[in-house]
Amino acid sequence: MTVILNTWVFEALVKQGTSQVALTQKVADLGADGIEVRREYFTDIAHETVAVGQLAKKLGLVVNYSVPDEVFLPDGRLNPQLPTYFAEGQAMGIAKIKFNTGHFDRFTGDLAQALGQLPLDQIEMNVENDQTPVSGTVAAIQAFLTAAHQATTANIGYVYDLGNWAFTHGDAAAAARALAAETHYIHLKNTSDQNGQLQTTADLDTGIYDWRQLLKLLPHDVHFALEYPMATDAEITQQLHLLRAEVGD
Protein backbone atom coordinates (compact mmCIF):
# COMPACT_ATOMS: atom_id res chain seq x y z
CA MET A 1 0.00 0.00 0.00
CA THR A 2 1.01 3.61 -0.49
CA VAL A 3 0.32 5.94 2.45
CA ILE A 4 0.33 9.67 1.82
CA LEU A 5 0.24 12.56 4.27
CA ASN A 6 -1.85 15.47 3.06
CA THR A 7 -0.26 18.68 4.33
CA TRP A 8 -3.48 19.60 6.17
CA VAL A 9 -2.04 17.19 8.74
CA PHE A 10 0.47 19.95 9.55
CA GLU A 11 -2.04 22.81 9.70
CA ALA A 12 -0.52 24.31 12.85
CA LEU A 13 2.97 24.38 11.32
CA VAL A 14 1.65 25.91 8.11
CA LYS A 15 -0.03 28.67 10.11
CA GLN A 16 3.33 29.31 11.79
CA GLY A 17 4.96 29.76 8.38
CA THR A 18 6.44 26.33 7.67
CA SER A 19 6.67 25.79 3.92
CA GLN A 20 5.54 22.68 2.08
CA VAL A 21 9.17 22.24 1.03
CA ALA A 22 10.10 21.76 4.68
CA LEU A 23 7.06 19.54 5.16
CA THR A 24 8.29 17.29 2.35
CA GLN A 25 11.31 16.42 4.47
CA LYS A 26 9.10 15.96 7.52
CA VAL A 27 6.82 13.54 5.67
CA ALA A 28 9.85 11.44 4.79
CA ASP A 29 11.14 11.57 8.37
CA LEU A 30 7.77 10.32 9.65
CA GLY A 31 7.95 7.31 7.36
CA ALA A 32 5.12 8.01 4.94
CA ASP A 33 5.39 7.00 1.29
CA GLY A 34 4.42 10.37 -0.09
CA ILE A 35 3.06 13.87 0.35
CA GLU A 36 -0.12 15.47 -0.92
CA VAL A 37 0.62 19.14 -1.45
CA ARG A 38 -2.21 21.67 -1.10
CA ARG A 39 -2.16 24.54 -3.58
CA GLU A 40 -3.63 27.01 -1.08
CA TYR A 41 -0.64 26.49 1.22
CA PHE A 42 1.93 27.88 -1.20
CA THR A 43 3.30 31.39 -0.68
CA ASP A 44 5.77 31.42 -3.62
CA ILE A 45 4.32 28.83 -5.95
CA ALA A 46 6.89 29.06 -8.76
CA HIS A 47 9.83 28.52 -6.41
CA GLU A 48 8.21 26.06 -4.03
CA THR A 49 6.83 23.66 -6.63
CA VAL A 50 10.28 23.19 -8.13
CA ALA A 51 11.82 22.78 -4.67
CA VAL A 52 9.21 20.25 -3.60
CA GLY A 53 9.78 18.28 -6.78
CA GLN A 54 13.55 18.19 -6.37
CA LEU A 55 13.44 17.21 -2.71
CA ALA A 56 10.71 14.59 -3.14
CA LYS A 57 12.69 12.96 -5.94
CA LYS A 58 15.79 12.88 -3.74
CA LEU A 59 13.81 11.36 -0.87
CA GLY A 60 11.92 8.88 -3.05
CA LEU A 61 8.51 10.27 -2.14
CA VAL A 62 5.33 10.11 -4.19
CA VAL A 63 3.84 13.58 -4.71
CA ASN A 64 0.12 14.21 -5.23
CA TYR A 65 -1.47 17.61 -5.73
CA SER A 66 -4.70 18.86 -4.18
CA VAL A 67 -6.16 21.83 -6.04
CA PRO A 68 -9.19 23.58 -4.49
CA ASP A 69 -10.82 24.33 -7.81
CA GLU A 70 -13.31 22.77 -10.17
CA VAL A 71 -12.96 21.12 -13.57
CA PHE A 72 -16.06 22.86 -14.95
CA LEU A 73 -17.04 26.46 -14.20
CA PRO A 74 -20.55 27.54 -13.17
CA ASP A 75 -21.38 28.25 -16.82
CA GLY A 76 -20.23 24.77 -17.83
CA ARG A 77 -16.96 25.76 -19.53
CA LEU A 78 -13.79 23.81 -18.89
CA ASN A 79 -11.79 25.72 -16.29
CA PRO A 80 -9.11 27.67 -18.23
CA GLN A 81 -6.75 27.41 -15.22
CA LEU A 82 -6.39 23.64 -15.54
CA PRO A 83 -3.28 23.73 -17.77
CA THR A 84 -1.60 25.99 -15.19
CA TYR A 85 -2.39 23.54 -12.40
CA PHE A 86 -1.03 20.62 -14.42
CA ALA A 87 2.15 22.60 -15.17
CA GLU A 88 2.61 23.21 -11.45
CA GLY A 89 2.13 19.50 -10.92
CA GLN A 90 4.71 18.65 -13.56
CA ALA A 91 7.23 20.87 -11.75
CA MET A 92 6.70 18.69 -8.67
CA GLY A 93 6.77 15.40 -10.56
CA ILE A 94 3.32 14.50 -9.29
CA ALA A 95 1.53 11.19 -9.78
CA LYS A 96 -2.03 12.45 -9.22
CA ILE A 97 -3.88 15.76 -9.31
CA LYS A 98 -7.24 16.24 -7.60
CA PHE A 99 -10.11 18.62 -8.35
CA ASN A 100 -13.81 18.98 -7.72
CA THR A 101 -16.09 18.19 -10.65
CA GLY A 102 -17.97 21.49 -10.71
CA HIS A 103 -20.81 22.06 -13.17
CA PHE A 104 -20.27 19.26 -15.65
CA ASP A 105 -24.07 19.20 -15.87
CA ARG A 106 -23.82 22.48 -17.83
CA PHE A 107 -20.96 21.45 -20.14
CA THR A 108 -22.00 21.50 -23.81
CA GLY A 109 -18.66 21.18 -25.60
CA ASP A 110 -16.59 18.32 -26.99
CA LEU A 111 -15.32 16.49 -23.92
CA ALA A 112 -12.62 14.57 -25.79
CA GLN A 113 -11.23 17.82 -27.19
CA ALA A 114 -11.46 19.55 -23.81
CA LEU A 115 -9.65 16.80 -21.93
CA GLY A 116 -7.15 16.46 -24.76
CA GLN A 117 -5.68 19.83 -23.76
CA LEU A 118 -4.34 18.27 -20.55
CA PRO A 119 -1.24 16.06 -20.10
CA LEU A 120 -3.29 13.09 -18.91
CA ASP A 121 -0.71 10.73 -20.34
CA GLN A 122 1.69 11.98 -17.67
CA ILE A 123 -0.52 12.81 -14.68
CA GLU A 124 -3.61 10.99 -13.44
CA MET A 125 -6.58 13.29 -12.89
CA ASN A 126 -9.05 12.54 -10.13
CA VAL A 127 -12.24 14.18 -8.92
CA GLU A 128 -13.34 14.09 -5.30
CA ASN A 129 -16.64 14.19 -3.50
CA ASP A 130 -16.41 17.59 -1.86
CA GLN A 131 -18.75 19.21 0.67
CA THR A 132 -21.11 20.78 -1.89
CA PRO A 133 -24.29 19.52 -3.59
CA VAL A 134 -22.70 20.29 -6.96
CA SER A 135 -19.63 18.05 -6.70
CA GLY A 136 -20.34 15.98 -3.61
CA THR A 137 -22.88 13.45 -4.86
CA VAL A 138 -22.52 9.99 -6.37
CA ALA A 139 -24.67 11.01 -9.34
CA ALA A 140 -22.51 14.02 -10.23
CA ILE A 141 -19.29 12.03 -9.98
CA GLN A 142 -20.65 9.10 -11.96
CA ALA A 143 -21.98 11.37 -14.70
CA PHE A 144 -18.59 12.96 -15.27
CA LEU A 145 -16.56 9.75 -15.04
CA THR A 146 -18.87 7.85 -17.38
CA ALA A 147 -18.66 10.61 -19.98
CA ALA A 148 -14.90 10.99 -19.53
CA HIS A 149 -14.28 7.28 -20.07
CA GLN A 150 -16.41 7.35 -23.21
CA ALA A 151 -14.50 10.37 -24.50
CA THR A 152 -10.93 9.32 -23.72
CA THR A 153 -8.79 6.40 -22.64
CA ALA A 154 -6.85 8.72 -20.31
CA ASN A 155 -6.39 7.74 -16.69
CA ILE A 156 -9.18 9.61 -14.89
CA GLY A 157 -10.55 8.41 -11.59
CA TYR A 158 -12.19 9.21 -8.29
CA VAL A 159 -10.98 10.17 -4.81
CA TYR A 160 -13.22 8.67 -2.14
CA ASP A 161 -13.21 11.20 0.71
CA LEU A 162 -14.78 9.56 3.73
CA GLY A 163 -15.31 12.56 5.97
CA ASN A 164 -16.94 14.71 3.31
CA TRP A 165 -19.99 12.44 3.05
CA ALA A 166 -21.12 13.76 6.44
CA PHE A 167 -21.27 17.33 5.11
CA THR A 168 -23.42 16.42 2.08
CA HIS A 169 -25.53 14.01 4.16
CA GLY A 170 -24.58 11.23 1.77
CA ASP A 171 -24.48 7.53 2.52
CA ALA A 172 -20.77 6.72 2.81
CA ALA A 173 -21.29 2.97 2.45
CA ALA A 174 -23.61 3.25 -0.55
CA ALA A 175 -21.15 5.66 -2.18
CA ALA A 176 -18.28 3.24 -1.60
CA ARG A 177 -20.22 0.43 -3.26
CA ALA A 178 -21.29 2.60 -6.19
CA LEU A 179 -17.87 4.13 -6.85
CA ALA A 180 -15.46 1.37 -5.83
CA ALA A 181 -14.59 0.48 -9.41
CA GLU A 182 -13.66 4.12 -10.13
CA THR A 183 -11.76 4.70 -6.88
CA HIS A 184 -8.08 5.41 -7.51
CA TYR A 185 -7.34 7.22 -4.25
CA ILE A 186 -8.82 7.26 -0.74
CA HIS A 187 -8.80 10.26 1.58
CA LEU A 188 -9.33 9.23 5.17
CA LYS A 189 -10.70 11.43 7.90
CA ASN A 190 -13.50 10.96 10.40
CA THR A 191 -16.20 13.42 11.43
CA SER A 192 -17.92 14.10 14.73
CA ASP A 193 -21.50 15.31 14.99
CA GLN A 194 -22.20 17.39 18.08
CA ASN A 195 -25.87 18.32 17.93
CA GLY A 196 -25.66 18.92 14.21
CA GLN A 197 -22.28 20.65 14.32
CA LEU A 198 -19.94 18.66 12.10
CA GLN A 199 -16.21 18.72 12.71
CA THR A 200 -13.25 16.75 11.37
CA THR A 201 -11.62 14.76 14.16
CA ALA A 202 -7.90 14.17 14.81
CA ASP A 203 -8.19 10.38 15.05
CA LEU A 204 -9.62 7.82 12.61
CA ASP A 205 -11.25 5.97 15.49
CA THR A 206 -13.12 9.04 16.74
CA GLY A 207 -16.24 10.00 14.82
CA ILE A 208 -19.41 8.76 13.20
CA TYR A 209 -17.79 6.42 10.68
CA ASP A 210 -16.55 2.87 11.07
CA TRP A 211 -13.70 3.40 8.65
CA ARG A 212 -12.54 -0.21 8.85
CA GLN A 213 -15.87 -1.53 7.63
CA LEU A 214 -16.03 1.07 4.86
CA LEU A 215 -12.56 0.16 3.60
CA LYS A 216 -13.80 -3.39 3.06
CA LEU A 217 -16.01 -1.95 0.31
CA LEU A 218 -13.13 -0.19 -1.46
CA PRO A 219 -9.99 -1.29 -3.32
CA HIS A 220 -6.74 -1.58 -1.37
CA ASP A 221 -4.27 -1.34 -4.26
CA VAL A 222 -4.59 2.46 -4.34
CA HIS A 223 -3.06 5.47 -2.61
CA PHE A 224 -4.38 6.23 0.89
CA ALA A 225 -4.03 9.72 2.37
CA LEU A 226 -4.49 10.81 5.95
CA GLU A 227 -6.14 14.23 5.73
CA TYR A 228 -6.88 15.80 9.08
CA PRO A 229 -4.89 18.08 11.40
CA MET A 230 -2.84 16.40 14.10
CA ALA A 231 -0.94 18.10 16.89
CA THR A 232 2.22 16.03 17.30
CA ASP A 233 4.59 13.76 15.42
CA ALA A 234 3.64 10.97 17.84
CA GLU A 235 -0.03 11.28 16.86
CA ILE A 236 0.86 11.21 13.17
CA THR A 237 3.06 8.15 13.61
CA GLN A 238 0.31 6.37 15.58
CA GLN A 239 -2.28 7.07 12.88
CA LEU A 240 0.09 5.87 10.15
CA HIS A 241 0.60 2.63 12.06
CA LEU A 242 -3.16 2.30 12.62
CA LEU A 243 -3.89 2.56 8.92
CA ARG A 244 -1.08 0.26 7.85
CA ALA A 245 -2.10 -2.36 10.40
CA GLU A 246 -5.62 -2.39 8.98
CA VAL A 247 -4.88 -2.33 5.27
CA GLY A 248 -1.54 -4.08 5.34
CA ASP A 249 1.56 -3.63 3.24
Side-chain angles (χ1 to χ4, degrees):
M1 68 181 298
T2 300
V3 180
I4 310 288
L5 289 177
N6 182 290
T7 52
W8 190 23
V9 165
F10 308 105
E11 181 181 46
L13 291 175
V14 172
K15 288 181 176 178
Q16 293 167 16
T18 302
S19 75
Q20 291 187 106
V21 181
L23 293 178
T24 302
Q25 180 67 57
K26 190 168 184 64
V27 164
D29 293 343
L30 288 165
D33 303 306
I35 183 170
E36 182 167 25
V37 176
R38 300 178 73 92
R39 190 175 196 271
E40 66 270 28
Y41 282 177
F42 284 124
T43 57
D44 181 353
I45 198 162
H47 173 263
E48 290 175 69
T49 51
V50 172
V52 166
Q54 291 173 341
L55 183 55
K57 184 176 181 180
K58 177 183 175 183
L59 296 170
L61 292 179
V62 173
V63 184
N64 293 335
Y65 195 20
S66 172
V67 180
D69 205 351
E70 55 200 8
V71 181
F72 299 94
L73 301 180
D75 63 4
R77 289 182 300 123
L78 189 77
N79 188 337
Q81 292 299 311
L82 294 182
T84 296
Y85 300 146
F86 272 87
E88 292 163 359
Q90 286 174 318
M92 292 186 285
I94 65 170
K96 302 176 186 287
I97 192 167
K98 180 209 57 108
F99 304 103
N100 303 318
T101 306
H103 279 284
F104 176 65
D105 56 325
R106 298 174 182 170
F107 178 73
T108 58
D110 182 325
L111 188 58
Q113 182 181 39
L115 295 174
Q117 303 172 36
L118 306 173
L120 298 175
D121 57 330
Q122 302 171 42
I123 295 171
E124 178 185 294
M125 184 173 85
N126 289 283
V127 293
E128 178 184 70
N129 57 292
D130 67 4
Q131 297 179 5
T132 73
V134 174
S135 304
T137 68
V138 171
I141 292 159
Q142 283 183 324
F144 168 67
L145 290 176
T146 298
H149 292 156
Q150 291 172 349
T152 178
T153 58
N155 203 3
I156 298 173
Y158 164 61
V159 181
Y160 179 92
D161 188 300
L162 172 57
N164 283 352
W165 290 114
F167 293 86
T168 55
H169 307 290
D171 184 325
R177 293 188 189 97
L179 295 165
E182 304 281 8
T183 300
H184 293 188
Y185 194 8
I186 297 170
H187 273 184
L188 286 173
K189 55 179 177 275
N190 213 330
T191 307
S192 64
D193 185 347
Q194 303 294 329
N195 300 315
Q197 294 295 313
L198 298 176
Q199 187 170 358
T200 298
T201 67
D203 185 329
L204 286 180
D205 284 338
T206 301
I208 62 177
Y209 292 117
D210 184 339
W211 63 278
R212 292 177 178 83
Q213 290 300 313
L214 288 165
L215 286 188
K216 292 179 180 178
L217 305 174
L218 293 163
H220 285 186
D221 58 341
V222 297
H223 289 186
F224 291 81
L226 298 180
E227 190 194 25
Y228 43 94
M230 290 180 258
T232 67
D233 289 355
E235 288 179 22
I236 297 167
T237 300
Q238 188 271 336
Q239 293 288 287
L240 284 168
H241 288 165
L242 187 72
L243 175 58
R244 284 193 167 121
E246 185 63 30
V247 180
D249 292 326

